[in-house]
Amino acid sequence: MGRQPCCEKVGLKKGPWTAEEDKRLITFILTNGQCCWRAVPKLAGLLRCGKSCRLRWTNYLRPDLKRGLLSEYEEKMVIDLHAQLGNRWSKIASHLPGRTDNEIKNHWNTHIKKKLRKMGIDPLTHKPLPPPTTEPPPEEAAEPKRPEEEVQPRPADTNSLQESAMMESAELDNNEDKIMSLIDSTELLFVNNSDFCIDEIPVIESHEILLSSNENSSPPSSSSSFSSSSSSNSSSSNVVEDVQFSPTFDDYYSAIMNSGFWDDDFSCTLELLNDFDSEMNTVNAVVVEPSVVNMIADEESWRFNGM
DNA sequence: AAGCCGGTCAACCGCCGGGGG
DNA sequence: GCCCCCGGCGGTTGACCGGCT
């Protein structure tokens, strides 16, 4: 017996969504929430199949989606995660807030694959490609690259991201005491992903984090350490010291452990992800260590509480 | 200007697994 | 245990666009 189609296809519209359809779907979801997708088109007045509505919403209309190309850092994460998980795009996407499986899959197929091949890495196995047998490729032949010299993912090495963070820390010894004293007072708050919109917000690099001095800020209950410094808010009145520093893995780790949220000892890497609330001087961070992310359900977004 | 071609990505298709009856 | 429904997933398609000839 044949499987029942997901919906009655006769008379249903296919192809690109119109602005009007988008509007109807958004209005419906925002008013009613995500209920039974099969019922959505009927209730929202759409001539679409429920599955199509779900895809349109999750891949395009969701307010917490990031738009635009993946950053270099996100790309690296995708490569690392792909090395471990293979083509499990949804799993990979779950580690990149604001990105969809479809987006990552497309980006992999159109950009990353090529990039890896160009670097002499097999995108399937993440191992160095065998040397060309017949004719050498034009550019690579002139300047053959040894695989070990490349920035390549190391499938078994889940600490690569952590290591790069640790390298940063080596440059920051001078500031360590100051940083750590501030970290000690950092308060971590859990932020539900649905509570903020990260649309069109540039990824903030760790070196872009501004450190504000406690004595000059006026924290309500606790002193705090981080504020963001995207171009839009680097002049925030709370940022009194225009001192840039790069919080390291250890900094984040200590901050998390001090938050009391985590009971178990574990290793992880955190990456500041977005400046999503310049008024509150809060920065969004994400746990990115692939070996532990399975422990961390959906609560991957954190906020280093600002003033 | 027109046609071709390759790249990109939104959308679709078919399968699978979980949950409920 | 079986069936059905539903949502989720990964692979694939095809429309669109820009660059090139």
Side-chain angles (χ1 to χ4, degrees):
Chain A
M1 73 183 178
R3 191 181 174 77
Q4 269 209 332
C6 73
C7 50
E8 186 53 62
K9 294 186 191 291
V10 185
L12 289 186
K13 195 167 177 290
K14 283 169 69 171
W17 281 63
T18 64
E20 172 63 24
E21 287 176 309
D22 281 347
K23 196 177 159 191
R24 278 176 187 263
L25 183 57
I26 291 171
T27 305
F28 180 81
I29 299 292
L30 292 181
T31 307
N32 303 284
Q34 293 177 46
C35 61
C36 167
W37 283 109
R38 180 173 277 211
V40 165
K42 204 174 190 178
L43 297 171
L46 291 163
L47 287 171
R48 294 275 181 175
C49 118
K51 206 170 182 176
S52 179
C53 293
R54 183 176 60 81
L55 277 175
R56 182 66 180 169
W57 174 257
T58 55
N59 287 341
Y60 201 80
L61 298 176
R62 250 168 53 199
D64 60 339
L65 284 180
K66 259 194 244 178
R67 314 296 306 168
L69 282 176
L70 271 71
S71 69
E72 217 170 283
Y73 172 73
E74 286 176 307
E75 221 170 67
K76 188 175 185 310
M77 263 194 80
V78 170
I79 293 169
D80 275 351
L81 289 165
H82 186 273
Q84 297 178 48
L85 302 168
N87 291 0
R88 295 164 74 185
W89 305 115
S90 64
K91 283 266 181 291
I92 294 172
S94 69
H95 301 314
L96 291 158
R99 300 294 187 184
T100 68
D101 55 348
N102 208 31
E103 193 178 10
I104 291 170
K105 180 173 57 183
N106 282 334
H107 191 77
W108 176 269
N109 287 326
T110 56
H111 293 101
I112 302 179
K113 256 185 176 176
K114 277 184 224 156
K115 205 182 257 186
L116 288 178
R117 285 204 187 99
K118 219 173 180 179
M119 291 162 63
I121 298 166
D122 184 347
L124 270 179
T125 62
H126 293 260
K127 289 177 179 161
L129 283 166
T133 50
T134 53
E135 53 191 22
E139 311 95 47
E140 282 88 342
E143 194 180 346
K145 291 174 182 174
R146 283 175 299 178
E148 60 268 28
E149 289 176 356
E150 301 294 327
V151 181
Q152 59 173 303
R154 290 172 292 173
D157 185 358
T158 56
N159 294 322
S160 54
L161 292 168
Q162 177 178 338
E163 280 170 10
S164 58
M166 295 299 276
M167 283 173 68
E168 272 186 20
S169 77
E171 302 166 6
L172 293 163
D173 286 345
N174 294 341
N175 290 331
E176 191 177 349
D177 289 343
K178 182 176 179 184
I179 291 169
M180 289 315 292
S181 67
L182 289 167
I183 291 292
D184 283 344
S185 60
T186 298
E187 182 184 336
L188 276 168
L189 294 179
F190 167 69
V191 179
N192 187 310
N193 278 348
S194 61
D195 286 342
F196 60 90
C197 173
I198 53 179
D199 194 20
E200 299 293 353
I201 297 174
V203 169
I204 186 168
E205 302 295 339
S206 56
H207 66 269
E208 294 179 294
I209 305 307
L210 276 183
L211 178 66
S212 63
S213 72
N214 291 332
E215 52 271 42
N216 287 293
S217 60
S218 51
S221 57
S222 69
S223 56
S224 52
S225 308
F226 299 116
S227 66
S228 63
S229 69
S230 71
S231 55
S232 62
N233 78 328
S234 57
S235 60
S236 160
S237 61
N238 288 322
V239 181
V240 293
E241 278 188 8
D242 213 25
V243 178
Q244 284 201 318
F245 84 110
S246 300
T248 65
F249 164 77
D250 279 345
D251 300 335
Y252 297 137
Y253 182 85
S254 301
I256 284 195
M257 298 320 283
N258 289 338
S259 75
F261 188 88
W262 298 100
D263 294 322
D264 300 322
D265 190 20
F266 69 95
S267 70
C268 71
T269 301
L270 282 177
E271 178 76 8
L272 291 183
L273 191 66
N274 292 109
D275 163 19
F276 72 97
D277 191 340
S278 56
E279 282 191 9
M280 292 181 68
N281 279 331
T282 54
V283 174
N284 191 28
V286 61
V287 178
V288 295
E289 173 52 50
S291 66
V292 298
V293 284
N294 287 340
M295 299 166 48
I296 307 161
D298 291 323
E299 295 81 13
E300 292 170 17
S301 291
W302 294 76
R303 178 180 1 200
F304 284 89
N305 194 23
M307 310 307 144

